Coordinates of all heavy atoms in Angstrom, one line a residue:
P12 N -2.5 13.4 24.1 CA -1.7 12.9 25.2 C -2.1 13.7 26.6 O -2.3 14.8 26.6 CB -0.3 13.3 24.7 CG -0.4 13.4 23.3 CD -1.8 13.9 22.9
H13 N -1.9 12.9 27.6 CA -2.2 13.4 29.0 C -1.0 14.2 29.4 O 0.2 13.7 29.3 CB -2.5 12.3 29.9 CG -3.1 12.7 31.2 ND1 -2.4 13.4 32.2 CD2 -4.4 12.5 31.7 CE1 -3.3 13.8 33.2 NE2 -4.4 13.2 32.8
P14 N -1.2 15.4 29.9 CA 0.0 16.2 30.4 C 0.6 15.5 31.6 O -0.1 14.9 32.5 CB -0.7 17.5 30.8 CG -2.1 17.3 31.1 CD -2.4 16.1 30.0
E15 N 1.9 15.6 31.7 CA 2.6 15.0 32.8 C 2.6 16.0 34.0 O 2.5 17.2 33.8 CB 4.0 14.7 32.4 CG 4.1 13.6 31.3 CD 5.5 13.1 31.1 OE1 6.3 12.9 32.0 OE2 5.9 12.9 29.8
P16 N 2.7 15.5 35.2 CA 2.8 14.1 35.6 C 1.5 13.3 35.4 O 0.4 13.9 35.5 CB 3.2 14.2 37.1 CG 2.5 15.5 37.6 CD 2.7 16.4 36.4
W17 N 1.6 12.1 35.0 CA 0.6 11.2 34.7 C -0.2 10.8 36.0 O 0.5 10.6 37.1 CB 0.8 10.0 34.0 CG 1.3 10.3 32.6 CD1 1.1 11.4 31.9 CD2 2.1 9.4 31.7 NE1 1.6 11.2 30.6 CE2 2.2 10.1 30.5 CE3 2.6 8.0 31.9 CZ2 2.8 9.5 29.4 CZ3 3.2 7.5 30.8 CH2 3.3 8.1 29.6
P18 N -1.5 10.7 36.1 CA -2.2 10.3 37.2 C -1.8 8.7 37.5 O -1.4 8.0 36.6 CB -3.7 10.3 36.9 CG -3.7 10.3 35.4 CD -2.5 10.9 34.9
P19 N -1.8 8.4 38.8 CA -1.5 7.0 39.1 C -2.7 6.1 38.9 O -3.8 6.5 38.8 CB -1.2 7.0 40.7 CG -2.1 8.2 41.2 CD -2.1 9.2 40.0
G20 N -2.3 4.8 38.8 CA -3.4 3.8 38.7 C -3.1 2.8 37.7 O -2.7 3.0 36.6
D21 N -3.3 1.4 38.1 CA -3.0 0.3 37.2 C -4.0 0.2 36.1 O -3.8 -0.4 35.0 CB -2.9 -1.0 38.0 CG -1.7 -1.1 38.9 OD1 -0.8 -0.4 38.7 OD2 -1.8 -2.0 39.9
H22 N -5.1 0.9 36.2 CA -6.2 0.9 35.2 C -5.8 1.6 34.0 O -6.5 1.5 32.9 CB -7.5 1.3 35.8 CG -7.6 2.8 36.2 ND1 -6.7 3.2 37.3 CD2 -8.1 3.9 35.7 CE1 -7.0 4.4 37.4 NE2 -7.8 4.9 36.6
L23 N -4.9 2.6 34.1 CA -4.5 3.4 33.0 C -3.5 2.8 32.1 O -2.5 2.0 32.6 CB -3.9 4.8 33.6 CG -4.9 5.5 34.4 CD1 -4.3 6.7 35.1 CD2 -6.1 6.0 33.6
D24 N -3.6 3.1 30.8 CA -2.6 2.5 29.8 C -1.6 3.5 29.4 O -1.9 4.5 28.9 CB -3.5 2.1 28.6 CG -2.6 1.4 27.5 OD1 -1.5 1.8 27.3 OD2 -3.2 0.5 26.9
P25 N -0.2 3.2 29.8 CA 0.7 4.2 29.4 C 0.8 4.6 27.9 O 1.2 5.7 27.7 CB 2.1 3.4 29.9 CG 1.6 2.4 30.8 CD 0.2 2.0 30.3
E26 N 0.5 3.7 27.0 CA 0.5 4.1 25.7 C -0.5 5.2 25.4 O -0.3 6.1 24.5 CB 0.4 2.8 24.7 CG 1.6 1.9 24.7 CD 1.5 0.8 23.8 OE1 0.5 0.8 22.9 OE2 2.3 -0.1 23.8
L27 N -1.6 5.0 26.0 CA -2.8 6.0 25.7 C -2.4 7.2 26.4 O -2.7 8.3 25.8 CB -4.1 5.4 26.3 CG -4.7 4.1 25.5 CD1 -5.9 3.6 26.2 CD2 -5.0 4.5 24.1
L28 N -1.9 7.1 27.6 CA -1.5 8.4 28.2 C -0.5 9.2 27.4 O -0.5 10.4 27.3 CB -0.9 8.2 29.6 CG -1.9 7.6 30.7 CD1 -1.2 7.1 31.9 CD2 -2.8 8.7 31.1
A29 N 0.5 8.5 26.7 CA 1.5 9.2 26.1 C 1.1 9.5 24.7 O 1.4 10.6 24.1 CB 2.7 8.2 25.8
G30 N 0.2 8.8 24.0 CA -0.2 9.1 22.6 C -1.6 9.7 22.4 O -2.0 10.1 21.4
G31 N -2.4 9.7 23.5 CA -3.8 10.2 23.3 C -4.7 9.0 23.2 O -4.3 7.9 22.9
D32 N -6.0 9.3 23.5 CA -6.9 8.2 23.5 C -8.1 8.6 22.5 O -9.0 9.5 22.8 CB -7.6 8.1 24.8 CG -8.5 6.7 25.0 OD1 -8.9 6.2 23.9 OD2 -8.9 6.5 26.1
R33 N -8.1 8.1 21.3 CA -9.1 8.4 20.2 C -10.2 7.4 20.1 O -10.9 7.3 19.1 CB -8.4 8.7 18.9 CG -7.3 9.7 18.9 CD -7.9 11.0 19.2 NE -6.8 12.1 19.2 CZ -7.0 13.3 19.5 NH1 -8.3 13.7 19.9 NH2 -6.1 14.3 19.5
R34 N -10.3 6.4 21.1 CA -11.3 5.4 21.0 C -12.7 5.9 21.2 O -12.9 6.9 21.8 CB -11.0 4.3 22.0 CG -9.6 3.6 21.9 CD -9.3 2.8 23.1 NE -9.3 3.5 24.3 CZ -9.2 3.0 25.5 NH1 -9.2 1.7 25.7 NH2 -9.3 3.7 26.6
N35 N -13.7 5.1 20.8 CA -15.1 5.5 20.9 C -15.6 5.0 22.3 O -16.4 4.0 22.4 CB -15.9 4.9 19.8 CG -17.4 5.2 19.9 OD1 -17.7 6.3 20.5 ND2 -18.3 4.5 19.3
V36 N -15.1 5.6 23.3 CA -15.4 5.2 24.7 C -16.0 6.4 25.5 O -15.7 7.6 24.9 CB -14.3 4.6 25.5 CG1 -13.8 3.3 24.9 CG2 -13.1 5.6 25.7
V37 N -16.8 6.4 26.5 CA -17.3 7.4 27.2 C -16.2 8.0 28.0 O -15.1 7.4 28.2 CB -18.4 7.0 28.2 CG1 -19.7 6.5 27.4 CG2 -17.9 5.9 29.2
D38 N -16.3 9.3 28.4 CA -15.2 10.1 29.0 C -14.6 9.3 30.3 O -13.5 9.4 30.6 CB -15.6 11.4 29.4 CG -15.8 12.3 28.2 OD1 -15.3 12.0 27.1 OD2 -16.5 13.4 28.2
R39 N -15.5 8.6 31.0 CA -15.1 7.9 32.2 C -13.9 7.0 31.8 O -13.1 6.8 32.8 CB -16.2 7.1 32.7 CG -16.0 6.0 33.8 CD -17.3 5.3 34.2 NE -16.9 4.2 35.1 CZ -16.9 4.3 36.4 NH1 -17.0 5.5 36.9 NH2 -16.7 3.2 37.1
Y40 N -13.9 6.4 30.7 CA -12.9 5.4 30.5 C -11.7 6.0 29.6 O -10.9 5.1 29.0 CB -13.5 4.3 29.7 CG -14.5 3.5 30.6 CD1 -15.7 3.1 30.0 CD2 -14.1 3.1 31.8 CE1 -16.6 2.3 30.8 CE2 -15.0 2.4 32.6 CZ -16.2 2.1 32.1 OH -17.1 1.3 32.9
R41 N -11.5 7.2 29.5 CA -10.4 7.8 28.8 C -9.1 7.4 29.4 O -8.9 7.5 30.7 CB -10.4 9.4 28.7 CG -11.5 9.9 27.8 CD -11.2 9.5 26.4 NE -12.4 9.9 25.5 CZ -12.7 9.3 24.4 NH1 -11.9 8.2 24.0 NH2 -13.7 9.6 23.6
Y42 N -8.2 6.8 28.7 CA -6.9 6.4 29.0 C -6.9 5.1 29.8 O -5.8 4.5 30.2 CB -6.2 7.4 29.9 CG -6.0 8.8 29.3 CD1 -6.6 9.9 29.8 CD2 -5.2 9.0 28.1 CE1 -6.5 11.2 29.3 CE2 -5.1 10.2 27.6 CZ -5.7 11.3 28.2 OH -5.6 12.6 27.5
W43 N -8.1 4.4 30.0 CA -8.2 3.2 30.7 C -7.7 2.1 29.7 O -8.0 2.2 28.5 CB -9.5 2.9 31.1 CG -10.0 3.6 32.4 CD1 -9.8 5.0 32.6 CD2 -10.9 3.1 33.4 NE1 -10.4 5.3 33.8 CE2 -11.1 4.2 34.3 CE3 -11.4 1.9 33.6 CZ2 -11.8 4.0 35.5 CZ3 -12.2 1.7 34.8 CH2 -12.4 2.8 35.7
G44 N -7.1 1.0 30.2 CA -6.8 -0.1 29.5 C -8.0 -0.9 29.2 O -9.0 -0.9 29.9
V45 N -8.0 -1.8 28.1 CA -9.2 -2.6 27.8 C -9.6 -3.6 28.9 O -10.8 -3.6 29.2 CB -8.9 -3.5 26.5 CG1 -9.9 -4.5 26.2 CG2 -8.7 -2.6 25.3
D46 N -8.6 -4.2 29.6 CA -9.0 -5.1 30.7 C -9.7 -4.4 31.9 O -10.6 -4.9 32.5 CB -7.7 -5.9 31.1 CG -7.2 -6.9 30.1 OD1 -8.0 -7.3 29.2 OD2 -6.0 -7.3 30.2
A47 N -9.1 -3.2 32.1 CA -9.7 -2.4 33.2 C -11.1 -1.9 32.9 O -12.0 -2.0 33.8 CB -8.8 -1.1 33.5
I48 N -11.4 -1.6 31.6 CA -12.8 -1.3 31.3 C -13.7 -2.4 31.4 O -14.8 -2.3 32.0 CB -12.8 -0.6 29.8 CG1 -12.0 0.7 29.7 CG2 -14.2 -0.5 29.4 CD1 -11.8 1.2 28.3
K49 N -13.3 -3.5 30.8 CA -14.1 -4.8 30.9 C -14.4 -5.1 32.3 O -15.5 -5.5 32.7 CB -13.3 -5.9 30.2 CG -14.3 -7.0 29.8 CD -13.6 -8.0 28.8 CE -14.5 -9.1 28.4 NZ -13.8 -10.0 27.4
A50 N -13.4 -5.1 33.2 CA -13.6 -5.5 34.6 C -14.5 -4.5 35.3 O -15.4 -4.9 36.1 CB -12.2 -5.4 35.3
D51 N -14.5 -3.2 35.0 CA -15.4 -2.2 35.6 C -16.8 -2.5 35.1 O -17.7 -2.4 35.9 CB -14.9 -0.8 35.2 CG -15.7 0.3 36.0 OD1 -15.5 0.3 37.2 OD2 -16.5 1.0 35.3
L52 N -17.0 -2.8 33.8 CA -18.4 -3.1 33.3 C -18.9 -4.3 33.9 O -20.0 -4.4 34.2 CB -18.2 -3.3 31.8 CG -18.0 -2.0 31.0 CD1 -17.7 -2.5 29.4 CD2 -19.2 -1.1 31.1
D53 N -17.9 -5.4 34.2 CA -18.4 -6.6 34.8 C -19.1 -6.3 36.1 O -19.9 -7.1 36.5 CB -17.2 -7.6 34.9 CG -16.8 -8.2 33.7 OD1 -17.6 -8.1 32.7 OD2 -15.7 -8.8 33.6

Side-chain angles (χ1 to χ4, degrees):
H13 196 290
E15 296 190 38
W17 291 344
D21 293 339
H22 63 291
L23 300 174
D24 186 317
E26 291 187 8
L27 294 173
L28 290 167
D32 188 351
R33 303 296 182 186
R34 300 172 300 174
N35 183 26
V36 296
V37 296
D38 290 342
R39 167 185 173 83
Y40 293 134
R41 288 295 172 209
Y42 303 115
W43 284 41
V45 169
D46 290 341
I48 293 175
K49 196 169 185 178
D51 190 68
L52 289 172
D53 284 346

